[in-house]
Amino acid sequence: MTFLEKVEELEKEAVNKFESASTLRELEELKAEYLSRKGKFSTLLRELKELSAEEKPRAGERANFLKRKLDELLQSKLSSFEKREEKAPGEFFDFTLPGRRTWEGKLHPLTQTLDRIIEIFYGMGFEVAKGPDIETNYYNFDSLNFPQDHPARDMQDTFYLADDLILRTHTSLVQVRIFEKRKPPVKILAPGRVYRHEAINARSYCLFYQVEGFYVDENVTFADLKGVLVAFAREFFGKDVELRFRASFFPFNEPSAEVDIRCIICKGKGCSVCKYRGWVEILGAGMIDTEVFKSVGYDSEKYTGYAFGLGVDRIAMLKYRIDDIRLFYENDLRFLRQF
Ligand SMILES: [Zn+2]
Protein backbone atom coordinates (compact mmCIF):
# COMPACT_ATOMS: atom_id res chain seq x y z
CA MET A 1 0.00 0.00 0.00
CA THR A 2 1.44 3.39 -0.94
CA PHE A 3 1.65 6.26 1.50
CA LEU A 4 -1.16 8.10 -0.25
CA GLU A 5 -3.37 5.03 -0.05
CA LYS A 6 -2.63 4.75 3.66
CA VAL A 7 -3.63 8.43 4.13
CA GLU A 8 -6.88 7.81 2.31
CA GLU A 9 -7.66 4.79 4.40
CA LEU A 10 -6.90 6.60 7.63
CA GLU A 11 -9.06 9.51 6.52
CA LYS A 12 -12.03 7.30 5.77
CA GLU A 13 -11.75 5.50 9.08
CA ALA A 14 -11.17 8.59 11.23
CA VAL A 15 -13.82 10.81 9.63
CA ASN A 16 -16.36 8.06 10.04
CA LYS A 17 -15.57 7.60 13.72
CA PHE A 18 -15.43 11.33 14.53
CA GLU A 19 -18.76 11.94 12.88
CA SER A 20 -20.53 9.18 14.72
CA ALA A 21 -19.15 10.13 18.14
CA SER A 22 -22.10 10.99 20.35
CA THR A 23 -20.52 11.70 23.71
CA LEU A 24 -17.70 13.86 24.91
CA ARG A 25 -15.89 10.83 26.23
CA GLU A 26 -15.95 9.08 22.84
CA LEU A 27 -14.56 12.22 21.27
CA GLU A 28 -11.71 12.40 23.79
CA GLU A 29 -10.87 8.78 23.06
CA LEU A 30 -10.83 9.40 19.31
CA LYS A 31 -8.62 12.42 19.78
CA ALA A 32 -6.11 10.25 21.63
CA GLU A 33 -6.37 7.45 19.09
CA TYR A 34 -5.83 9.58 16.01
CA LEU A 35 -4.43 12.99 16.89
CA SER A 36 -2.13 12.54 19.88
CA ARG A 37 1.63 12.35 19.59
CA LYS A 38 1.51 8.58 19.62
CA GLY A 39 -1.72 8.47 17.65
CA LYS A 40 -2.37 6.93 14.25
CA PHE A 41 -1.76 10.16 12.33
CA SER A 42 1.70 10.81 13.87
CA THR A 43 2.63 7.19 13.30
CA LEU A 44 1.76 7.48 9.64
CA LEU A 45 3.58 10.79 9.32
CA ARG A 46 6.81 9.14 10.42
CA GLU A 47 6.73 7.08 7.24
CA LEU A 48 7.03 10.30 5.23
CA LYS A 49 10.80 10.46 5.62
CA GLU A 50 11.19 7.10 3.89
CA LEU A 51 9.65 8.50 0.69
CA SER A 52 11.71 9.72 -2.25
CA ALA A 53 12.40 13.44 -2.75
CA GLU A 54 9.87 13.65 -5.64
CA GLU A 55 7.13 11.94 -3.66
CA LYS A 56 7.59 13.88 -0.42
CA PRO A 57 5.99 17.27 -1.26
CA ARG A 58 2.73 15.81 -2.57
CA ALA A 59 2.52 13.26 0.19
CA GLY A 60 3.27 15.89 2.83
CA GLU A 61 0.58 18.18 1.45
CA ARG A 62 -1.95 15.37 1.45
CA ALA A 63 -1.08 14.45 5.05
CA ASN A 64 -1.46 18.07 6.15
CA PHE A 65 -4.80 18.28 4.48
CA LEU A 66 -5.99 15.27 6.48
CA LYS A 67 -4.65 16.78 9.72
CA ARG A 68 -6.58 20.02 9.15
CA LYS A 69 -9.70 18.12 8.26
CA LEU A 70 -9.60 16.05 11.44
CA ASP A 71 -8.83 19.11 13.60
CA GLU A 72 -11.79 20.96 12.16
CA LEU A 73 -14.06 17.99 12.62
CA LEU A 74 -12.97 17.66 16.23
CA GLN A 75 -13.60 21.38 16.90
CA SER A 76 -17.00 21.41 15.33
CA LYS A 77 -18.03 18.31 17.28
CA LEU A 78 -16.74 19.83 20.50
CA SER A 79 -18.64 23.07 20.00
CA SER A 80 -21.85 21.24 19.20
CA PHE A 81 -21.49 19.29 22.44
CA GLU A 82 -20.85 22.51 24.32
CA LYS A 83 -24.07 23.99 23.00
CA ARG A 84 -25.94 21.01 24.36
CA GLU A 85 -24.23 21.47 27.70
CA GLU A 86 -25.44 25.06 27.83
CA LYS A 87 -29.01 23.93 27.37
CA ALA A 88 -28.83 21.56 30.33
CA PRO A 89 -25.90 22.59 32.51
CA GLY A 90 -24.45 19.84 34.62
CA GLU A 91 -26.55 17.19 32.98
CA PHE A 92 -25.16 15.41 29.99
CA PHE A 93 -27.60 14.46 27.32
CA ASP A 94 -27.30 10.97 25.94
CA PHE A 95 -28.61 10.87 22.38
CA THR A 96 -28.86 7.11 22.43
CA LEU A 97 -31.69 7.12 25.00
CA PRO A 98 -35.20 6.46 23.63
CA GLY A 99 -37.43 9.55 23.31
CA ARG A 100 -40.10 10.53 25.80
CA ARG A 101 -43.70 10.15 24.77
CA THR A 102 -45.68 13.37 24.71
CA TRP A 103 -48.56 13.47 27.16
CA GLU A 104 -51.97 13.34 25.55
CA GLY A 105 -54.94 14.63 27.53
CA LYS A 106 -58.44 13.22 27.27
CA LEU A 107 -61.94 14.32 28.14
CA HIS A 108 -63.23 13.35 31.58
CA PRO A 109 -65.54 10.30 31.47
CA LEU A 110 -68.46 12.47 32.66
CA THR A 111 -67.81 14.96 29.85
CA GLN A 112 -67.64 12.11 27.34
CA THR A 113 -70.96 10.76 28.63
CA LEU A 114 -72.58 14.19 28.62
CA ASP A 115 -71.37 14.89 25.08
CA ARG A 116 -72.82 11.60 23.85
CA ILE A 117 -76.18 12.28 25.54
CA ILE A 118 -76.35 15.74 24.01
CA GLU A 119 -75.41 14.36 20.60
CA ILE A 120 -78.25 11.81 20.67
CA PHE A 121 -80.92 14.31 21.73
CA TYR A 122 -79.58 16.92 19.33
CA GLY A 123 -80.24 14.33 16.62
CA MET A 124 -83.88 14.23 17.77
CA GLY A 125 -84.31 17.97 17.37
CA PHE A 126 -83.45 19.29 20.85
CA GLU A 127 -81.49 22.51 21.17
CA VAL A 128 -79.12 23.08 24.09
CA ALA A 129 -79.66 25.78 26.73
CA LYS A 130 -77.92 26.52 30.00
CA GLY A 131 -78.83 28.28 33.22
CA PRO A 132 -76.81 29.60 36.17
CA ASP A 133 -75.53 27.29 38.94
CA ILE A 134 -76.54 29.84 41.59
CA GLU A 135 -80.29 30.28 41.65
CA THR A 136 -83.04 31.90 43.65
CA ASN A 137 -85.57 30.05 45.75
CA TYR A 138 -88.22 31.15 43.28
CA TYR A 139 -86.73 29.42 40.25
CA ASN A 140 -85.46 26.36 42.07
CA PHE A 141 -88.67 25.65 44.03
CA ASP A 142 -91.61 28.07 43.77
CA SER A 143 -91.87 28.25 39.99
CA LEU A 144 -91.84 24.47 39.83
CA ASN A 145 -94.74 24.10 42.19
CA PHE A 146 -92.76 22.87 45.22
CA PRO A 147 -94.97 23.49 48.27
CA GLN A 148 -93.52 25.72 51.02
CA ASP A 149 -93.03 22.77 53.34
CA HIS A 150 -91.49 20.42 50.75
CA PRO A 151 -88.60 18.49 52.34
CA ALA A 152 -86.24 19.31 49.42
CA ARG A 153 -86.26 22.94 50.58
CA ASP A 154 -84.78 21.86 53.87
CA MET A 155 -81.35 23.24 54.70
CA GLN A 156 -80.27 19.66 55.19
CA ASP A 157 -80.81 18.99 51.49
CA THR A 158 -79.94 22.30 49.87
CA PHE A 159 -76.86 24.54 50.01
CA TYR A 160 -78.04 28.02 50.99
CA LEU A 161 -75.85 31.00 50.07
CA ALA A 162 -76.47 34.62 51.06
CA ASP A 163 -80.05 35.92 51.26
CA ASP A 164 -82.31 34.23 48.78
CA LEU A 165 -79.57 32.47 46.82
CA ILE A 166 -78.99 28.74 46.68
CA LEU A 167 -76.93 26.30 44.64
CA ARG A 168 -79.50 24.79 42.30
CA THR A 169 -80.63 21.31 43.24
CA HIS A 170 -81.75 20.32 39.74
CA THR A 171 -81.74 21.60 36.15
CA SER A 172 -85.53 21.29 35.75
CA LEU A 173 -85.82 24.97 36.57
CA VAL A 174 -84.18 25.89 33.26
CA GLN A 175 -87.65 25.11 31.83
CA VAL A 176 -89.09 28.11 33.61
CA ARG A 177 -86.29 30.44 32.57
CA ILE A 178 -86.85 29.41 28.94
CA PHE A 179 -90.69 29.53 29.12
CA GLU A 180 -90.54 33.09 30.43
CA LYS A 181 -88.66 34.18 27.32
CA ARG A 182 -90.15 32.03 24.60
CA LYS A 183 -93.47 30.81 23.26
CA PRO A 184 -94.11 27.18 22.20
CA PRO A 185 -92.95 25.17 20.42
CA VAL A 186 -89.85 24.77 22.60
CA LYS A 187 -87.75 21.61 22.53
CA ILE A 188 -84.73 22.00 24.75
CA LEU A 189 -81.97 20.07 26.49
CA ALA A 190 -80.49 21.74 29.58
CA PRO A 191 -77.33 20.04 30.85
CA GLY A 192 -75.48 21.20 33.95
CA ARG A 193 -74.12 20.69 37.42
CA VAL A 194 -76.47 20.44 40.42
CA TYR A 195 -75.80 20.40 44.16
CA ARG A 196 -77.27 18.49 47.07
CA HIS A 197 -76.36 18.69 50.69
CA GLU A 198 -76.07 14.94 51.05
CA ALA A 199 -73.94 12.46 52.93
CA ILE A 200 -71.12 11.47 50.59
CA ASN A 201 -70.81 7.77 49.84
CA ALA A 202 -70.29 5.39 46.92
CA ARG A 203 -73.71 6.22 45.45
CA SER A 204 -74.19 9.91 46.20
CA TYR A 205 -72.06 13.01 46.09
CA CYS A 206 -72.58 16.68 46.97
CA LEU A 207 -72.64 17.58 43.29
CA PHE A 208 -73.48 15.72 40.12
CA TYR A 209 -74.56 16.31 36.54
CA GLN A 210 -78.08 16.36 35.24
CA VAL A 211 -79.60 16.73 31.82
CA GLU A 212 -83.10 18.16 31.71
CA GLY A 213 -85.04 17.76 28.48
CA PHE A 214 -88.43 19.25 27.71
CA TYR A 215 -90.78 19.72 24.82
CA VAL A 216 -93.88 21.91 24.75
CA ASP A 217 -96.19 22.21 21.78
CA GLU A 218 -99.75 21.43 20.75
CA ASN A 219 -100.67 17.77 21.14
CA VAL A 220 -97.53 16.56 22.90
CA THR A 221 -98.40 13.33 24.71
CA PHE A 222 -96.93 10.84 27.15
CA ALA A 223 -96.46 8.50 24.18
CA ASP A 224 -94.07 11.06 22.65
CA LEU A 225 -92.13 11.11 25.91
CA LYS A 226 -91.86 7.32 25.99
CA GLY A 227 -90.81 7.24 22.36
CA VAL A 228 -88.01 9.75 22.89
CA LEU A 229 -86.69 8.02 26.02
CA VAL A 230 -86.76 4.55 24.48
CA ALA A 231 -84.97 5.87 21.38
CA PHE A 232 -82.34 7.50 23.56
CA ALA A 233 -81.75 4.39 25.70
CA ARG A 234 -81.40 2.16 22.63
CA GLU A 235 -78.95 4.55 21.04
CA PHE A 236 -76.90 4.95 24.20
CA PHE A 237 -76.93 1.47 25.74
CA GLY A 238 -77.66 -0.69 22.70
CA LYS A 239 -80.71 -2.12 20.98
CA ASP A 240 -81.47 -4.83 23.57
CA VAL A 241 -81.89 -2.42 26.47
CA GLU A 242 -85.12 -2.87 28.46
CA LEU A 243 -86.92 0.06 30.05
CA ARG A 244 -89.48 0.13 32.83
CA PHE A 245 -91.73 3.10 33.61
CA ARG A 246 -92.92 3.31 37.22
CA ALA A 247 -95.54 5.76 38.49
CA SER A 248 -93.94 8.42 40.71
CA PHE A 249 -94.46 11.96 41.92
CA PHE A 250 -92.70 15.25 41.14
CA PRO A 251 -94.33 18.59 42.08
CA PHE A 252 -93.83 19.90 38.51
CA ASN A 253 -95.05 16.84 36.58
CA GLU A 254 -98.48 15.26 36.32
CA PRO A 255 -98.45 12.33 35.72
CA SER A 256 -94.87 11.57 36.82
CA ALA A 257 -92.78 8.48 36.22
CA GLU A 258 -89.41 7.10 37.15
CA VAL A 259 -87.64 5.13 34.48
CA ASP A 260 -85.39 2.15 35.13
CA ILE A 261 -83.29 0.13 32.76
CA ARG A 262 -82.62 -3.56 33.16
CA CYS A 263 -79.20 -3.67 34.81
CA ILE A 264 -76.71 -3.98 31.97
CA ILE A 265 -74.03 -5.32 34.27
CA CYS A 266 -75.82 -8.41 35.61
CA LYS A 267 -78.51 -8.53 32.89
CA GLY A 268 -81.16 -8.43 35.61
CA LYS A 269 -79.85 -11.28 37.74
CA GLY A 270 -78.89 -8.93 40.57
CA CYS A 271 -75.56 -7.31 41.50
CA SER A 272 -74.18 -4.61 43.78
CA VAL A 273 -74.71 -1.85 41.19
CA CYS A 274 -78.47 -2.54 40.92
CA LYS A 275 -78.63 -3.39 44.66
CA TYR A 276 -79.73 -6.91 43.64
CA ARG A 277 -82.94 -5.59 42.12
CA GLY A 278 -82.02 -6.23 38.50
CA TRP A 279 -83.12 -2.69 37.54
CA VAL A 280 -81.39 0.70 37.82
CA GLU A 281 -83.20 4.02 37.90
CA ILE A 282 -81.75 6.42 35.33
CA LEU A 283 -84.25 9.23 35.10
CA GLY A 284 -87.43 10.93 36.24
CA ALA A 285 -90.01 12.18 33.74
CA GLY A 286 -93.58 13.23 33.25
CA MET A 287 -96.02 15.62 31.65
CA ILE A 288 -95.40 19.25 32.72
CA ASP A 289 -97.90 20.30 35.39
CA THR A 290 -100.46 22.95 34.38
CA GLU A 291 -99.38 24.93 37.48
CA VAL A 292 -95.97 25.46 35.84
CA PHE A 293 -97.63 26.67 32.64
CA LYS A 294 -99.82 29.04 34.67
CA SER A 295 -96.79 30.64 36.34
CA VAL A 296 -95.23 31.49 32.96
CA GLY A 297 -98.43 32.43 31.15
CA TYR A 298 -98.67 29.46 28.78
CA ASP A 299 -102.19 28.48 27.72
CA SER A 300 -102.60 25.02 29.24
CA GLU A 301 -105.75 24.40 27.18
CA LYS A 302 -103.74 24.74 24.03
CA TYR A 303 -100.33 23.39 24.94
CA THR A 304 -99.03 20.27 26.58
CA GLY A 305 -95.46 19.22 27.21
CA TYR A 306 -93.21 16.61 28.70
CA ALA A 307 -90.01 16.88 30.71
CA PHE A 308 -87.37 14.42 31.83
CA GLY A 309 -84.27 14.65 33.99
CA LEU A 310 -81.35 12.27 33.45
CA GLY A 311 -78.61 11.59 35.99
CA VAL A 312 -75.40 11.76 33.98
CA ASP A 313 -73.18 10.27 36.71
CA ARG A 314 -75.51 7.29 37.14
CA ILE A 315 -75.52 6.67 33.40
CA ALA A 316 -71.72 6.96 33.18
CA MET A 317 -71.37 4.51 36.09
CA LEU A 318 -73.51 1.99 34.24
CA LYS A 319 -71.81 2.51 30.93
CA TYR A 320 -68.27 2.22 32.29
CA ARG A 321 -69.17 -0.22 35.11
CA ILE A 322 -67.99 2.07 37.88
CA ASP A 323 -69.26 1.28 41.35
CA ASP A 324 -68.24 4.44 43.23
CA ILE A 325 -69.41 7.92 42.18
CA ARG A 326 -66.60 9.60 44.18
CA LEU A 327 -64.03 8.40 41.63
CA PHE A 328 -65.38 10.98 39.16
CA TYR A 329 -64.47 13.88 41.45
CA GLU A 330 -61.15 12.81 42.94
CA ASN A 331 -59.13 13.63 39.80
CA ASP A 332 -56.91 10.61 40.23
CA LEU A 333 -55.08 10.15 36.92
CA ARG A 334 -54.80 6.39 37.46
CA PHE A 335 -58.59 6.32 37.22
CA LEU A 336 -59.08 8.99 34.54
CA ARG A 337 -56.49 7.54 32.14
CA GLN A 338 -58.64 4.46 31.69
CA PHE A 339 -61.27 6.26 29.59
ZN1 LIG B 1 -77.14 -5.55 38.36
Side-chain angles (χ1 to χ4, degrees):
M1 202 186 277
T2 67
F3 182 82
L4 285 177
E5 280 167 352
K6 284 181 185 168
V7 173
E8 298 240 329
E9 198 177 73
L10 185 67
E11 176 171 12
K12 218 194 257 172
E13 180 190 310
V15 167
N16 203 5
K17 284 190 179 174
F18 273 88
E19 275 177 347
S20 58
S22 62
T23 66
L24 202 56
R25 169 176 262 186
E26 271 179 69
L27 210 53
E28 294 293 349
E29 282 168 5
L30 290 173
K31 191 181 168 188
E33 186 181 349
Y34 290 95
L35 298 169
S36 67
R37 217 183 296 167
K38 286 181 180 169
K40 287 183 177 172
F41 181 78
S42 302
T43 310
L44 182 66
L45 209 57
R46 266 175 233 128
E47 292 178 20
L48 200 60
K49 56 180 182 279
E50 288 156 28
L51 297 180
S52 68
E54 304 95 80
E55 283 173 316
K56 262 183 196 166
R58 230 189 114 216
E61 201 182 317
R62 181 69 182 88
N64 265 331
F65 174 79
L66 173 59
K67 178 73 166 58
R68 276 203 308 277
K69 187 169 180 177
L70 293 182
D71 281 341
E72 275 167 24
L73 200 51
L74 176 68
Q75 284 313 316
S76 85
K77 276 298 233 190
L78 277 174
S79 68
S80 80
F81 284 178
E82 272 161 20
K83 268 183 206 151
R84 258 166 27 199
E85 284 280 295
E86 279 163 24
K87 273 185 211 155
E91 182 194 343
F92 192 75
F93 187 85
D94 187 347
F95 276 95
T96 60
L97 286 173
R100 276 185 203 150
R101 264 169 213 281
T102 49
W103 167 249
E104 200 176 290
K106 277 182 186 170
L107 291 176
H108 192 282
L110 284 179
T111 309
Q112 291 184 34
T113 307
L114 191 56
D115 285 353
R116 180 71 187 123
I117 293 170
I118 291 171
E119 187 181 37
I120 293 170
F121 282 106
Y122 187 79
M124 293 193 273
F126 286 81
E127 56 178 299
V128 175
K130 283 180 181 167
D133 285 25
I134 295 173
E135 272 292 359
T136 61
N137 253 309
Y138 172 75
Y139 282 109
N140 200 84
F141 295 121
D142 302 339
S143 69
L144 288 171
N145 202 31
F146 278 84
Q148 281 303 323
D149 58 354
H150 194 279
R153 290 179 184 255
D154 202 313
M155 287 179 75
Q156 266 142 25
D157 292 320
T158 303
F159 288 109
Y160 280 82
L161 306 173
D163 300 328
D164 185 33
L165 298 176
I166 59 170
L167 290 176
R168 65 178 176 189
T169 60
H170 52 110
T171 52
S172 306
L173 56 91
V174 179
Q175 286 177 42
V176 180
R177 288 192 168 275
I178 298 287
F179 295 160
E180 283 175 347
K181 278 181 250 161
R182 292 170 55 170
K183 293 284 156 222
V186 285
K187 196 173 187 183
I188 288 190
L189 204 64
R193 212 181 303 179
V194 301
Y195 307 82
R196 303 266 172 97
H197 195 193
E198 278 183 359
I200 290 170
N201 57 45
R203 298 180 63 84
S204 65
Y205 200 68
C206 53
L207 65 94
F208 53 95
Y209 285 81
Q210 224 178 36
V211 171
E212 176 80 5
F214 48 93
Y215 177 36
V216 180
D217 200 354
E218 292 176 37
N219 304 317
V220 176
T221 69
F222 200 92
D224 297 321
L225 170 63
K226 277 187 94 167
V228 158
L229 294 178
V230 169
F232 162 75
R234 285 187 181 153
E235 193 67 31
F236 192 89
F237 291 108
K239 284 199 183 72
D240 320 324
V241 72
E242 278 180 77
L243 291 186
R244 180 171 80 173
F245 288 71
R246 282 181 292 111
S248 183
F249 174 77
F250 302 110
F252 42 93
N253 286 155
E254 180 59 38
S256 302
E258 278 173 304
V259 181
D260 305 333
I261 67 164
R262 171 93 67 186
C263 180
I264 56 172
I265 292 166
C266 63
K267 305 264 185 282
K269 287 195 195 86
C271 69
S272 63
V273 171
C274 59
K275 290 190 197 154
Y276 300 95
R277 288 178 190 143
W279 295 87
V280 186
E281 186 200 324
I282 55 163
L283 63 94
M287 299 305 288
I288 298 169
D289 199 292
T290 51
E291 288 300 315
V292 176
F293 282 173
K294 228 182 267 172
S295 74
V296 295
Y298 276 12
D299 181 353
S300 59
E301 295 296 318
K302 190 175 174 192
Y303 298 114
T304 50
Y306 63 68
F308 56 86
L310 285 158
V312 179
D313 303 57
R314 185 74 62 85
I315 286 176
M317 286 168 81
L318 271 178
K319 179 175 171 148
Y320 298 118
R321 290 158 166 68
I322 293 162
D323 57 7
D324 193 328
I325 189 172
R326 291 170 291 194
L327 289 165
F328 288 135
Y329 299 97
E330 284 167 352
N331 288 330
D332 186 334
L333 285 176
R334 289 169 301 179
F335 169 74
L336 295 175
R337 276 187 187 140
Q338 297 173 47
F339 303 95

